[in-house]
Amino acid sequence: MTSVILPGTVIDGRPATLGVLGGGQLGRMFVHAAQALGYDTVVLDPDPASPAGRVSHHQIATGYRDADGLRELAACALAITTEFENVPAEALAELARTRPVAPAAEAVAIAQDRIREKAHFARCAASGGVAPAPHAVIEREADLADVPAGLLPGILKTARLGYDGKGQARVATRDELAAAWASMGRVACVLEKMLPLACECSVIVARGRDGQVVSLPVQRNLHRGGILAVTEVFEGNVPAASADIAQAATIKIANELDYVGVLCVEYFVLDSGELVVNEMAPRPHNSGHYTVDACDASQFDLQVRALAGLPLAPPRQHSAAVMLNLLGDLWFDAHGAPRALPWREVLALPGAHLHLYGKTEARRGRKMGHLTFTGASAETARGNALRAAALLGIEPF
Ligand code: ATP
Ligand code: MG
């Protein structure tokens, strides 16, 4: 198997092709980064008009388990990555029989399952990492009675297929816990103690096949309604001691998985200052979108390099950055009627970088794009981001 695919490689008269499973905005930005290095790209996504498919050289519009689609992907791409974590791990395993695949099916399978994910975090914590929230696994009726009283009030989360706060219920009593578990269809869940959060942050690392790891700066994240709303990245966004611990813990989590590719780990900073690890995403992350405009290597550049077996030079942030997520809600007025967005005024603000994902239909909660403000100082970037937020109708932060 070829493990290094140098830029400029030509095969059968065409540039070497890199593949991605999933055609969402993360796939689209992967495609942009791969194309900048001269690679051709192929996207597999059931939607023939997916955001990544629209900009890729090749696309395969089949399901993720479709044997013909996977065969075609392996025939076309020299190496394959994924852009969403609920891609069937078996599909990655199948592709890995003939092509380098990063991240590996096993690492993705762990990230897909909160029970296995928390067990991995706990193992890393035992040798100096950061611990997950106190929690209990609920897989059968009898587990409900065994839940320690100290975990309530808590948050019940399905072990699989949760995202953007979906598949979660806040429960204060045992009765509420039993009712919430029943309403989730009695699937495997984790009950987590509700913690007093001072703020949330995340760390993105990239790790190569040779074990080289590089880290991006710690991102401070504000969630609204369970969805990322704002990411702020500049000196002092989180206490320096917490930032160092979170970066070291993320590198440990990646190393212990023998991970290859880009990995994002989310943390809580508690009122006490203590750090708690929440979850990981085996791919670039919404909180890392600012890297495209504020760093000398973006999270997508690092994904391409890790996949192609190229060196991972340590990335440097050159501008303070504030990123606003643009959800479909903004495309409607207070009466639910479609409205035009004030891009002319927004783009007149210094340091504005608008990214729209080419989605033709706005829906509430749907990620339509993001807007990053860069500046020479945190105050400049924040000031302009707040002006844009006011123009767009995003609540101040
Ligand atoms: P994502 O889109 O990041 O994958 P998710 O649906 O998987 O989200 P989590 O990240 O587990 O969900 O939780 C969503 C948000 O809910 C967190 O960012 C945090 O604001 C809040 N939250 C989750 N767990 C806890 C907890 N144990 N204590 C307090 N708040 C929590
Ligand atoms: Mg999360």
Side-chain angles (χ1 to χ4, degrees):
M1 251 190 247
T2 333
S3 59
V4 177
I5 307 160
L6 287 174
T9 303
V10 175
I11 292 162
D12 296 336
R14 297 198 64 123
T17 299
L18 299 180
V20 58
L21 278 166
Q25 58 270 16
L26 299 172
R28 180 178 174 101
M29 290 182 270
F30 165 81
V31 162
H32 287 151
Q35 292 179 349
L37 284 185
Y39 296 110
D40 270 11
T41 57
V42 55
V43 170
L44 187 148
D45 188 289
D47 176 3
S50 69
R54 283 175 186 283
V55 296
S56 178
H57 297 94
H58 312 277
Q59 63 167 328
I60 302 168
T62 67
Y64 301 110
R65 294 175 194 274
D66 186 282
D68 290 337
L70 293 174
R71 232 188 328 271
E72 197 182 331
L73 179 61
C76 181
L78 283 190
I80 298 146
T81 188
T82 176
E83 65 111 40
F84 84 124
E85 70 208 64
N86 288 323
V87 65
E90 313 85 75
L92 293 175
E94 173 60 28
L95 293 166
R97 295 188 324 124
T98 53
R99 294 294 187 200
V101 170
E106 180 59 11
V108 174
I110 293 172
Q112 282 173 349
D113 181 341
R114 282 190 203 276
I115 299 171
R116 296 187 67 192
E117 181 179 63
K118 283 193 160 46
H120 180 68
F121 293 155
R123 260 193 310 277
C124 291
S127 53
V130 168
H135 63 280
V137 171
I138 296 175
E139 290 175 305
R140 53 191 71 82
E141 192 77 34
D143 296 332
L144 292 171
D146 293 339
V147 164
L151 292 186
L152 293 168
I155 306 187
L156 184 68
K157 303 180 178 179
T158 57
R160 304 180 66 85
L161 299 174
Y163 71 99
D164 288 348
K166 294 185 176 68
Q168 299 197 2
R170 299 191 170 209
V171 293
T173 63
R174 280 183 192 280
D175 285 348
E176 283 179 21
L177 169 62
W181 189 57
S183 76
M184 287 177 181
R186 297 171 195 275
V187 294
C189 283
V190 171
L191 175 70
E192 267 178 54
K193 185 181 169 69
M194 179 78 81
L195 299 170
L197 311 188
C199 70
E200 299 187 53
C201 64
S202 56
V203 178
I204 293 167
V205 297
R207 189 169 181 279
R209 280 193 202 95
D210 58 357
Q212 192 202 355
V213 193
V214 296
S215 175
L216 286 159
V218 177
Q219 294 113 206
R220 181 186 173 112
N221 302 324
L222 171 67
H223 292 82
R224 287 178 175 152
I227 306 180
L228 182 68
V230 182
T231 294
E232 298 184 85
V233 197
F234 38 73
E235 204 66 33
N237 60 349
V238 296
S242 305
D244 292 346
I245 294 169
Q247 272 187 328
T250 307
I251 290 171
K252 190 176 185 67
I253 288 166
N255 283 339
E256 299 283 321
L257 284 170
D258 197 16
Y259 191 86
V260 180
V262 169
L263 177 77
C264 178
V265 181
E266 294 181 51
Y267 296 87
F268 300 143
V269 183
L270 304 189
D271 287 343
S272 62
E274 188 194 337
L275 267 181
V276 167
V277 58
N278 175 29
E279 60 174 356
M280 62 182 170
R283 49 164 173 80
H285 193 257
N286 198 165
S287 63
H289 289 355
Y290 75 97
T291 58
V292 171
D293 302 303
C295 296
D296 61 7
S298 76
Q299 59 172 349
F300 304 102
D301 295 331
L302 296 173
Q303 184 184 22
V304 171
R305 285 182 178 227
L307 181 64
L310 302 174
L312 299 171
R316 181 180 67 86
Q317 183 180 4
H318 51 68
S319 298
V322 177
M323 183 219 62
L324 308 177
N325 240 357
L326 302 173
L327 300 182
D329 309 55
L330 299 177
W331 272 246
F332 300 98
D333 69 15
H335 310 287
R339 65 160 190 159
L341 286 149
W343 296 133
R344 199 182 277 277
E345 293 77 3
V346 167
L347 291 172
L349 295 166
H353 305 266
L354 176 62
H355 299 258
L356 294 179
Y357 307 143
K359 298 182 184 179
T360 50
E361 192 198 341
R363 288 195 297 269
R364 294 198 183 276
R366 188 173 201 206
K367 292 172 181 166
M368 301 298 290
H370 68 271
L371 181 59
T372 299
F373 281 89
T374 52
S377 70
E379 291 67 37
T380 310
R382 261 186 74 80
N384 287 317
L386 283 164
R387 276 172 211 115
L391 287 166
L392 290 164
I394 296 172
E395 237 184 277
F397 44 89

